[in-house]
Amino acid sequence: HVQLVESGGGSVQAGGTLRLSCAASRYTYSSYCMGWFRQAPGKEREGVAAIDSDGSTSYADSVKGRFTISEDVAKNTLYLQMNSLKPAGTAMYYCAARVGACIPIFEPATFGASWLVDDFRYWGQGTQVTVS
């Protein structure tokens, strides 16, 4: 069973930065996908970014160029560097993981990615990000 624990959320002004972390219990799978999702009050949970075990990344259109997903395999930690934050980014941010490769759905015009929530089996408790 994989446990995920997020940290790093907080309150920032628009244009500010935050770095989220997700500590994962040891993964024994050779192929996996880890991602960041967010959910604002009254809205559905949406994917923000994901990273495959081979290091390939994908991003939602809404965060491309501003957010960066990365991982430190030695520390079993996933990160989300968030720059130029906008008030629309106010949400609970969740770390998620699945066994096997990421399955992004790409928007043909922009190559922005989205992911199905149900594709991810493991979830953290979330960390709140508030942008004012």
Side-chain angles (χ1 to χ4, degrees):
H1 181 71
V2 178
Q3 292 183 322
L4 305 172
V5 179
E6 303 95 335
S7 62
S11 297
V12 295
Q13 292 187 335
T17 65
L18 279 176
R19 188 193 196 201
L20 305 183
S21 299
C22 172
S25 58
R26 186 172 180 81
Y27 243 65
T28 59
Y29 307 106
S30 59
S31 176
Y32 60 85
C33 170
M34 297 195 73
W36 287 98
F37 287 72
R38 66 186 180 187
Q39 187 167 19
K43 295 189 176 181
E44 293 186 353
R45 191 169 297 190
E46 63 175 3
V48 173
I51 185 167
D52 266 299
S53 49
D54 67 359
S56 58
T57 59
S58 49
Y59 296 90
D61 273 332
S62 58
V63 305
K64 283 171 64 177
R66 299 186 298 116
F67 289 13
T68 302
I69 188 171
S70 63
E71 63 176 343
D72 186 327
V73 177
K75 295 182 178 179
N76 290 326
T77 302
L78 179 73
Y79 301 100
L80 184 68
Q81 178 67 42
M82 305 187 294
N83 299 331
S84 302
L85 281 160
K86 303 177 180 180
T90 294
M92 186 71 77
Y93 282 71
Y94 297 91
C95 173
R98 58 169 271 117
V99 177
C102 296
I103 311 176
I105 303 167
F106 288 106
E107 168 62 37
T110 64
F111 296 104
S114 61
W115 305 262
L116 297 178
V117 170
D118 289 345
D119 280 345
F120 289 79
R121 178 176 180 182
Y122 304 105
W123 293 86
Q125 294 300 307
T127 185
Q128 177 68 37
V129 172
T130 302
V131 186
S132 60

